[in-house]
Amino acid sequence: MNTKYNYSYDPPPGGTSEWITRAKYLIEPPACYLTFAVGIALAIWLSLSGSRYGYHILILLIALPVHELAHALTADRLGDHTPRYYGHITLNPFAQLNLIGSFLVLMFGLGWAYVPITPNNLRPNPRTGHMIVAAAGPIATLLLAFATAILWQVLSPAFNLLDGRTYLTMLNMFYFFTYLNIALFIFNLIPLMPLDGFFVLRGLLPPHLAYQLDKIRPYSNIVFLALFLPPLFTGGRIDFIGPFIFGPAQWLARLLY
C-alpha cells in the first residue's frame, strides 16, 4: 500500500474520563455501587413521574456502559489490550463516561462515552480491526433494545395484574428505554467524528477513499454542530437530522411493542 494511505488515529481531545476519575471515590468499589444504585433509583423515580430525564439517566448508566463494554471486549479479542490495561472492560459507567457525551445524553438522550484503543494492535489490520471494534458498540445497543422489548413481553402479564395506571407507567418506561437505544444505534452510525459510524465507513471504503475521508475529519465537529445545533435554537422548527434518527427509531419501537 502506498505510504500516504497508512492508517493513523488520534483519539478525540478530552475523550478519556479524566474529568470523573479525579473523584476516585466515584469509580472505585464499594462507593461506585452505591452511586450507581442511587442513580438508577433516581432514574426510575423520574421515569415513573413522566420526566424524560429519567429515561436519559437510564441510557447514561446502563446503555452507554453496555455499548462501551462491547467496544472494549471486541478490541481485546482482536489483540488490543489497551481497554483492559486502562480498566475499561467493565460495566461500571463511571469508568466509561465522557463529559460532553454525558451532558448530551442527559439533555437529549443521545451522546457517547469513550474507550481507549490502539488500532495498530488490532487484527487483521488496523483499519479493518477498528471498523469491527466501532461496529460492536452500536450492535450491542441495538441488541439491548431488543432484549428490553423481550423482557417487557415476559413481564407484561405480571404488570397487567396491577392497576391500569401502573401498567401504562411501566410500559412507558420500557418503551422509551427501547426507543432511545434504537435512536442511539442510528445516531452512532452517523459517519462523523467522534461517532462510530466514521470508523465503520472508513473501514468499508477503499484505501484511497478512506484517505480522503481522513482529510475532512478535522471539519467533522463543524458539520456535527451545523446538523445538531439548529433544533436547539429554533425550538425544533429547523431539524436536519432528527427525523432520520427519531422517526425510524419510533417506528421500530412501536413495532416491537
Side-chain angles (χ1 to χ4, degrees):
M1 183 186 296
N2 192 311
T3 55
K4 73 176 182 176
Y5 299 140
N6 282 348
Y7 186 88
S8 64
Y9 170 64
D10 297 317
T16 67
S17 54
E18 291 177 359
W19 66 279
I20 201 165
T21 56
R22 292 170 185 166
K24 295 289 186 183
Y25 62 90
L26 280 176
I27 65 169
E28 294 179 353
C32 67
Y33 304 137
L34 177 61
T35 308
F36 176 79
V38 171
I40 291 296
L42 175 63
I44 293 175
W45 179 77
L46 289 172
S47 299
L48 296 179
S49 302
S51 171
R52 63 186 176 90
Y53 294 108
Y55 312 129
H56 296 178
I57 295 173
L58 289 176
I59 292 294
L60 190 68
L61 295 181
I62 298 176
L64 286 192
V66 169
H67 181 108
E68 299 307 321
L69 179 61
H71 286 317
L73 286 174
T74 305
D76 195 65
R77 291 296 298 272
L78 292 180
D80 177 25
H81 304 306
T82 305
R84 183 178 297 275
Y85 178 80
Y86 285 102
H88 283 263
I89 299 185
T90 176
L91 282 173
N92 180 358
F94 306 109
Q96 313 280 31
L97 298 180
N98 169 281
L99 179 58
I100 297 176
S102 299
F103 173 78
L104 290 175
V105 169
L106 287 174
M107 292 296 102
F108 313 111
L110 299 177
W112 58 83
Y114 177 75
V115 166
I117 67 169
T118 305
N120 287 332
N121 295 337
L122 294 170
R123 297 189 298 264
N125 59 68
R127 190 162 65 90
T128 302
H130 199 174
M131 177 190 70
I132 297 171
V133 172
I139 291 172
T141 299
L142 185 62
L143 291 176
L144 180 60
F146 279 97
T148 304
I150 292 171
L151 182 61
W152 168 256
Q153 299 300 331
V154 172
L155 296 178
S156 60
F159 290 135
N160 204 29
L161 298 176
L162 305 174
D163 63 274
R165 181 176 179 182
T166 303
Y167 176 85
L168 289 176
T169 300
M170 297 303 299
L171 172 60
N172 282 335
M173 186 169 67
F174 276 80
Y175 170 83
F176 278 105
F177 186 73
T178 300
Y179 162 66
L180 287 175
N181 270 287
I182 298 170
L184 193 63
F185 163 77
I186 300 170
F187 170 75
N188 270 282
L189 289 181
I190 295 173
L192 290 172
M193 282 285 288
L195 303 177
D196 298 320
F198 178 89
F199 300 105
V200 172
L201 178 61
R202 193 186 193 284
L204 292 173
L205 291 174
H208 66 285
L209 292 179
Y211 175 72
Q212 297 299 322
L213 183 65
D214 265 347
K215 291 172 67 175
I216 66 172
R217 185 166 65 181
Y219 307 101
S220 289
N221 288 338
I222 298 174
V223 178
F224 187 90
L225 292 175
L227 289 175
F228 287 95
L229 283 183
L232 302 182
F233 295 102
T234 64
R237 290 188 298 274
I238 300 177
D239 190 354
F240 301 113
I241 202 71
F244 298 100
I245 296 176
F246 296 109
Q250 187 178 58
W251 175 83
L252 182 54
R254 286 180 173 175
L255 184 66
L256 291 173
Y257 281 80

